[in-house]
Amino acid sequence: MRIVVVEDDYHQRDWLAGELSKAFSADVEPLNSFGAFHRRFKEFEQNPPDYFVVDVMLVSDQLSEENDDSNAYDDDEEQVDDVEDLRQGLIAVKMIGDSASLRRVPATLYTVLTRQDLPDGIVFMPKQEDISALAAEIRRRLGISK
Amino acid sequence: MMQPHDTTANYIEKLIEFAAGLSNLADLRKILDRAAEIASPTDACIIWDEVPRAADVSLCTAHLYALAQWCRDDEHWLTMEVPVGNSLTGEAIMGNSPWLSTPDLHLDGRTYKKDPWLSRFGPGLSIPVRLESRSNGEVVEHRGAVNFYRFKGQQPFSPVEADVLAHIGRLIPHLYRSLRDRVAFDLLMCLDRRLDEASRAEPLLHEAKLIADKLRCEEVSIFLGRPGDETFHLRATTIPDKSDLFGKVGYKLTDPGIVPWLLNGREASIRLLDVRKLTKSSSDFSQYYAAHVAHRYPHLRWSEWKGAAEKPISCMAALITDGRHTLGVIQCSRAAAEPYYFGGRELEMLELAADRIGRHEGESQRDRDMQQEVGSWNALSRILVELSNMVTQESADAIVAESLFLNENRESVSRRTLEIFVGSVPGAERATAYWRDPAASNSGSLANLWLKALAPGVKSAVVKSSESPEPQVDALVAEISCGAPLGVLVIHLNSNADVPPHSQTLAEILGRQLGLYHHLYRQQDKLRKQLLREVRTFADLRHQIKSPILMAYRYLCAMYNSFSDAESRRKLGAIRGLTSKSLGVAGCVGLYADLAEGKPIAPHLAPMSADSILTTVVESAIDHEMICRDDTDILFSVDHGSFKALNRIYVRINRELFMQCMTNLLDNAAKYSFPKTTVRIRATLADGFVVVSVTNRGVSLSLKGAGMCWNRGWRGQYVREKMKSSGHGIGLWLVHEIMKAHDGRAKAIPTQDKETEFQLYFPKMDISRG
């Protein structure tokens, strides 16, 4: 069984990967940013995993000195009032649902955000102190008995 | 005497040629003169016309008047009406013969002998003719006659002479019509040119003089008003002394007279041949004449002329309209020359002139109304623009509060908003807003008194001083409302000012604007209070979160060193780091809540040595390294030597807030540094300040960003658009506020060679002063 975990926080990613691996004896592939998910997407389409677990608040990419182009950006004074949408996990899940080869792969949004923080109709699972609820959800959607 | 070689055709041709050169209605006399020459000796020639509406009465009371006359001895004579019933002329009109003659008028039983002027004449010849005039655009035919007379003792008119004169006589009305058409055309051309280029300094006076000249009358007076008016005032007259006017300087619709009679829609025009006979002091003809006039013009109540005169006082008047509305009346009186009557043609000209004046005046009134309307809307636009500028350029809260500040009488005393109103409403001197007190019963208050000046359901009104609660004040009063009525706006007017149209609408809109501002202010106040409640909730939560986390952190610090198992130490270190981060976030929440409530940061400062600062810095560095160790492998290196070099230097510092600053700076460094780099922390001394600096290698901070990064909510464009990392730009803002509270400052050095430095400046303590 192969599970992909997209989570930018190291500690959460590390913990989740360990727990899922133990619970399902699965190969867990952790990805640390939306950019990493995006780069792997074509491969996922060709070789779909069994499950996706995706955080909602994701950085675009981890910093890297080799790829840094931050000095090309100019700062202006209008930014104070802008409110950017950082919920890139929603985009990732939509990409999965829109893909012909991946739409049947179950995906769970796993987040500390509440219902009020998310658009109407979004199905998600709140992060808890253990993965029992997440594990039960995975079993249910994959039709696996405990 | 007729010349034997001249034929009738020759006479006609010569007469036509002569008439073609005439240009004045009164030149009809010259045509009669020339006609009389044909059958010389002929000593007088008169053209008779039916008195207006004679056809409406029984034949026996039909009358004729002399339209024009020529007499050889040029003796001044008076015209009069002669009855159709018992005169040679009347018989000629009613008969079938082309002419009727008599050898001696004095002896002829058909002659109307009451006129002494006729007693000079002997032979007479009367030729019936058809005359034509236009009234209200319709052609009206009426009967008339051309009479030729010879003095007593002359030969009677022979049949040959009579035949020729009959042709001539029937031609005369046609020549007169041509003359009339030329005069009418000339009059209209002159009027049109005059009205187009009219100087508005003396509106319509020149037009009145032009008409007087063409119609040969002494008085032309023009009365005008606005549609719906009840009084029409004299706007122009050719009579220099107004006491000599044929009537008054203004008429109400209920007054007696020709002008009100027309204005009340009885007819479009009226012509009275001789009004002398209508006066009470007139001769025994007055009752008879008045009865005829009364029959012709029902409901006409007479009052104009009270004076005496030898010559006939003829009078005519026509309505001035713009095609839709009655605008006034143009009146002519006292024909300036013989025959001293106004004929049908003169009335025709007057109607044409009235039509021209009406169209022009209607257009001018519409232009004036449009200008006033545009002026009103421009005023409104100006007011709204100025109010909008005021609100957007200054603090909305201050503006609205100041504008609606109420004194003990519940009046708005601030002038800024109200002065804008006064400047834009024409005729306004000052403005005051009175507000209802919903909690008190104040039926006697000035606000309520002004509100009573508005009828129920009326939103605005012009109140005159006789009805005003304040003595001798003319005012525009408008309700202040936003849904429900809140008060009243009173704009005091200059008593001499005309209130332009739409001023009331303007005042109503202003009243609603004030009501809207009042409503917005109340809503803003509610939101402010709501925000305050939420901020206090955050402050309380900060207190609830901070204590347990602080305790957890203390226990973790103590436990960290007691574990020898590497994995356990690793996890415990991570927990310690995360707990320290939570403590930092709780600190931020609390400070944010305090600042949002308007409470400045007022720390208790205590002397702290460089060594103590170092201890705090090292703690923070360790915590952050523990968070980053397994992820990005960023190291946090403290230059111990730089701190120790500041031996015996003290600063006044609040340790908790300094810890918060370090937490925020190192959080940023961890977030924005490249992996596997080292964040360096060191201390220096510069210009009387102890400077603690944090340098990292990572995301660039521009020159602009180095200035703006201390603003609340600011985040760099790269971080927002490319990285999309979480955060709301309050960490560095709080650092800035904390440093202000320490009488120090925070500074950012823009990135050079991928390295960015943040500096905290603490004033060095003067130890000699303790």
Side-chain angles (χ1 to χ4, degrees):
Chain A
M1 185 176 176
R2 212 164 111 239
I3 300 175
V4 172
V5 169
V6 188
E7 169 62 71
D8 61 353
D9 182 273
Y10 166 77
H11 296 284
Q12 297 211 42
R13 186 173 67 245
D14 185 53
W15 175 81
L16 191 57
E19 293 298 302
L20 286 172
S21 175
K22 269 194 293 189
F24 295 97
S25 303
D27 287 330
V28 178
E29 182 177 348
L31 299 174
N32 63 8
S33 65
F34 176 77
F37 167 82
H38 201 268
R39 284 188 290 276
R40 295 275 293 138
F41 191 74
K42 273 206 167 55
E43 289 181 41
F44 292 145
E45 285 188 305
Q46 287 162 3
N47 184 18
D50 296 293
Y51 208 96
F52 287 99
V53 178
V54 182
D55 186 21
V56 172
M57 303 289 282
L58 290 171
V59 294
S60 291
D61 231 325
Q62 298 295 336
L63 287 178
S64 139
E65 186 162 355
E66 292 76 28
N67 298 332
D68 174 57
D69 61 348
S70 58
N71 61 356
Y73 284 73
D74 194 17
D75 296 314
D76 59 66
E77 292 186 31
E78 295 302 317
Q79 297 165 16
V80 174
D81 295 328
D82 275 354
V83 178
E84 60 269 29
D85 190 350
L86 306 173
R87 301 172 300 181
Q88 298 197 89
L90 299 178
I91 303 173
V93 166
K94 187 172 186 310
M95 286 170 66
I96 294 167
D98 289 344
S99 165
S101 53
L102 290 177
R103 67 165 62 104
R104 286 197 174 75
V105 178
T108 294
L109 280 168
Y110 196 52
T111 179
V112 297
L113 298 180
T114 61
R115 168 64 57 202
Q116 287 86 341
D117 303 318
L118 294 168
D120 289 342
I122 292 291
V123 177
F124 69 99
M125 173 152 282
K127 286 179 179 172
Q128 294 174 338
E129 64 279 9
D130 62 41
I131 66 157
S132 54
L134 177 61
E137 174 69 6
I138 293 173
R139 285 192 193 97
R140 182 185 71 79
R141 292 181 73 179
L142 290 180
I144 304 171
S145 58
K146 195 169 179 179
Chain B
M1 176 151 320
M2 290 183 182
Q3 301 302 319
H5 57 274
D6 278 335
T7 61
T8 304
N10 285 346
Y11 291 128
I12 288 174
E13 191 181 325
K14 285 177 185 170
L15 193 57
I16 290 173
E17 197 179 323
F18 173 74
L22 302 175
S23 61
N24 204 301
L25 281 180
D27 289 341
L28 178 58
R29 188 169 190 246
K30 295 179 185 173
I31 296 175
L32 299 181
D33 179 3
R34 190 58 71 92
E37 272 183 24
I38 294 168
S40 182
T42 300
D43 300 306
C45 180
I46 301 176
I47 179 167
W48 296 92
D49 192 1
E50 262 187 295
V51 172
R53 290 200 179 184
D56 291 343
V57 304
S58 64
L59 207 58
C60 64
T61 59
H63 280 74
L64 301 169
Y65 73 98
L67 181 61
Q69 63 191 37
W70 167 82
C71 183
R72 183 174 300 286
D73 60 7
D74 205 26
E75 182 185 313
H76 182 74
W77 56 281
L78 299 173
T79 58
M80 58 185 293
E81 287 182 27
V82 297
V84 172
N86 55 342
S87 64
L88 177 72
T89 312
E91 192 173 321
I93 287 171
M94 290 186 294
N96 292 323
S97 304
W99 47 267
L100 277 180
S101 73
T102 176
D104 193 337
L105 282 166
H106 190 67
L107 297 177
D108 193 317
R110 297 170 297 179
T111 302
Y112 184 69
K113 294 188 176 52
K114 289 188 179 177
D115 183 2
W117 179 80
L118 285 174
S119 62
R120 289 180 291 162
F121 298 106
L125 175 70
S126 184
I127 298 145
V129 295
R130 306 297 288 182
L131 294 158
E132 200 181 82
S133 62
R134 287 176 189 274
S135 185
N136 298 324
E138 290 178 9
V139 174
V140 178
E141 254 198 7
H142 30 109
R143 302 171 298 185
V146 176
N147 288 4
F148 296 92
Y149 303 105
R150 285 173 174 161
F151 287 134
K152 278 184 184 171
Q154 301 284 338
Q155 288 293 318
F157 292 96
S158 69
V160 170
E161 286 173 328
D163 277 336
V164 171
L165 289 177
H167 282 100
I168 299 296
R170 285 194 289 275
L171 176 63
I172 289 173
H174 297 288
L175 295 177
Y176 187 47
R177 189 174 63 207
S178 295
L179 176 61
R180 176 202 68 207
D181 290 345
R182 281 200 300 281
V183 172
F185 181 77
D186 188 38
L187 173 63
L188 293 179
M189 289 291 290
C190 289
L191 265 182
D192 283 345
R193 197 178 322 121
R194 184 67 226 167
L195 287 168
D196 282 344
E197 65 189 31
S199 158
R200 288 298 121 197
E202 284 185 319
L204 299 174
L205 176 59
H206 292 280
E207 287 81 353
K209 286 181 178 173
L210 178 69
I211 296 166
D213 178 58
K214 287 292 177 190
L215 300 185
R216 301 288 295 275
C217 57
E218 290 180 9
E219 179 197 344
V220 173
S221 297
I222 299 176
F223 298 84
L224 289 174
R226 293 182 67 86
D229 277 357
E230 292 190 355
T231 306
F232 288 74
H233 300 282
L234 180 68
R235 288 275 291 274
T237 183
T238 54
I239 301 293
D241 181 359
K242 288 197 174 57
S243 64
D244 201 27
L245 276 176
F246 188 79
K248 305 197 294 180
V249 295
Y251 286 95
K252 291 185 192 164
L253 294 178
T254 50
D255 287 341
I258 292 175
V259 170
W261 187 80
L262 282 177
L263 289 171
N264 279 304
R266 303 294 179 188
E267 293 285 345
S269 59
I270 183 174
R271 176 165 62 102
L272 296 174
L273 290 180
D274 189 353
V275 302
R276 292 176 303 162
K277 295 186 169 62
L278 292 174
T279 63
K280 289 180 183 174
S281 59
S282 65
S283 69
D284 54 352
F285 287 111
S286 63
Q287 280 187 343
Y288 172 82
Y289 195 89
H292 278 268
V293 173
H295 187 86
R296 289 176 197 134
Y297 305 109
H299 310 297
L300 172 62
R301 289 157 52 216
W302 180 256
S303 71
E304 256 82 5
W305 183 252
K306 300 289 190 293
E310 290 181 358
K311 289 181 269 193
I313 309 292
S314 193
C315 170
M316 59 179 177
L319 273 179
I320 299 173
T321 76
D322 64 357
R324 287 186 299 167
H325 305 108
T326 296
L327 302 180
V329 168
I330 182 169
Q331 171 181 279
C332 295
S333 73
R334 289 163 281 185
E338 295 170 357
Y340 302 108
Y341 286 152
F342 291 132
R345 269 56 66 189
E346 281 81 356
L347 182 60
E348 233 174 87
M349 305 288 158
L350 188 66
E351 287 171 349
L352 287 172
D355 177 72
R356 276 303 195 275
I357 291 171
R359 286 170 195 277
H360 185 268
E361 186 62 22
E363 229 175 80
S364 298
Q365 276 192 9
R366 282 190 288 276
D367 284 347
R368 282 195 295 274
D369 289 347
M370 178 66 73
Q371 277 179 8
Q372 283 188 336
E373 180 153 353
V374 168
S376 293
W377 296 123
N378 282 345
L380 177 63
S381 172
R382 267 199 311 279
I383 291 172
L384 293 178
V385 165
E386 286 189 37
L387 285 173
S388 172
N389 286 342
M390 200 167 73
V391 170
T392 55
Q393 289 167 13
E394 303 182 44
S395 157
D397 194 17
I399 290 292
V400 173
E402 186 189 327
S403 301
L404 300 178
F405 174 72
L406 305 178
N407 64 10
E408 61 275 8
N409 294 326
R410 296 195 67 76
E411 296 172 356
S412 275
V413 295
S414 166
R415 290 295 169 223
R416 273 206 289 177
T417 309
L418 299 178
E419 273 170 2
I420 290 174
F421 295 174
V422 170
S424 296
V425 174
E429 286 189 333
R430 61 187 176 93
T432 308
Y434 300 94
W435 300 86
R436 275 187 166 166
D437 184 351
S441 158
N442 56 350
S443 57
S445 73
L446 206 52
N448 277 352
L449 288 173
W450 275 113
L451 278 169
K452 277 182 188 164
L454 293 173
V458 170
K459 298 293 178 188
S460 66
V462 176
V463 175
K464 291 293 177 185
S465 56
S466 53
E467 300 155 335
S468 148
E470 289 183 46
Q472 294 164 358
V473 168
D474 288 346
L476 254 180
V477 177
E479 198 181 72
I480 297 175
S481 63
C482 188
L486 300 171
V488 56
L489 172 66
V490 178
I491 300 177
H492 297 230
L493 299 171
N494 182 322
S495 57
N496 295 324
D498 282 332
V499 179
H502 308 303
S503 292
Q504 276 182 249
T505 307
L506 215 71
E508 267 177 57
I509 293 173
L510 299 179
R512 287 204 193 100
Q513 277 299 106
L514 270 181
L516 177 63
Y517 289 153
H518 188 272
H519 172 74
L520 290 173
Y521 178 66
R522 293 285 169 248
Q523 293 302 109
Q524 203 173 36
D525 203 41
K526 262 193 219 169
L527 283 171
R528 199 181 298 121
K529 285 177 181 156
Q530 196 178 335
L531 182 63
L532 199 59
R533 277 197 299 275
E534 285 175 9
V535 160
R536 287 190 187 144
T537 304
F538 275 120
D540 181 57
L541 286 174
R542 178 255 320 255
H543 174 71
Q544 290 186 42
I545 288 170
K546 199 169 164 187
S547 298
I549 294 178
L550 185 59
M551 278 316 302
Y553 179 72
R554 285 174 184 155
Y555 284 140
L556 285 163
C557 287
M559 284 168 67
Y560 180 71
N561 292 319
S562 66
F563 278 80
S564 57
D565 175 56
E567 179 61 16
S568 300
R569 277 175 67 86
R570 188 184 73 82
K571 282 188 176 157
L572 209 56
I575 295 169
R576 176 182 155 172
L578 292 170
T579 308
S580 163
K581 186 177 168 74
S582 301
L583 204 55
V585 172
C588 278
V589 166
L591 285 169
Y592 184 84
D594 287 342
L595 289 169
E597 206 176 342
K599 289 184 196 168
I601 300 175
H604 172 70
L605 303 177
M608 198 167 175
S609 67
D611 265 350
S612 298
I613 295 174
L614 175 61
T615 307
T616 306
V617 168
V618 166
E619 256 186 56
S620 190
I622 292 171
D623 290 336
H624 281 80
E625 199 166 280
M626 287 186 180
I627 298 171
C628 297
R629 182 169 52 194
D630 298 320
D631 183 12
T632 53
D633 207 8
I634 294 171
L635 300 177
F636 290 79
S637 167
V638 180
D639 183 352
H640 290 242
S642 67
F643 283 88
K644 290 203 183 301
L646 302 179
N647 188 27
R648 299 182 66 73
I649 289 179
Y650 284 74
V651 294
R652 293 180 66 79
I653 223 171
N654 179 289
R655 188 179 179 280
E656 186 183 333
L657 290 176
F658 174 58
M659 190 75 170
Q660 187 69 54
C661 280
M662 291 310 301
T663 299
N664 289 6
L665 288 180
L666 297 186
D667 268 356
N668 271 6
K671 202 189 285 187
Y672 301 122
S673 291
F674 300 132
K676 296 182 172 36
T677 57
T678 301
V679 177
R680 302 191 305 278
I681 305 133
R682 62 191 178 96
T684 51
L685 200 60
D687 299 327
F689 288 89
V690 170
V691 185
V692 177
S693 67
V694 174
T695 307
N696 76 302
R697 189 175 180 80
V699 169
S700 285
L701 180 69
S702 66
L703 179 60
K704 267 193 225 171
M708 292 189 293
C709 64
W710 308 109
N711 297 340
R712 184 172 112 177
W714 187 90
R715 302 214 309 152
Q717 193 179 19
Y718 175 80
V719 167
R720 292 169 52 249
E721 292 181 11
K722 185 90 183 280
M723 275 187 72
K724 290 191 185 291
S725 69
S726 62
H728 283 86
I730 63 168
L732 290 180
W733 169 62
L734 288 174
V735 168
H736 184 254
E737 294 296 313
I738 291 169
M739 292 313 295
K740 268 197 324 193
H742 281 81
D743 284 333
R745 65 175 193 270
K747 185 176 171 184
I749 311 295
T751 305
Q752 286 183 344
D753 295 328
K754 297 195 188 276
E755 294 214 327
T756 310
E757 184 177 344
F758 287 85
Q759 298 170 340
L760 304 176
Y761 284 70
F762 292 95
K764 195 178 77 160
M765 257 182 81
D766 184 353
I767 306 172
S768 63
R769 291 186 184 179

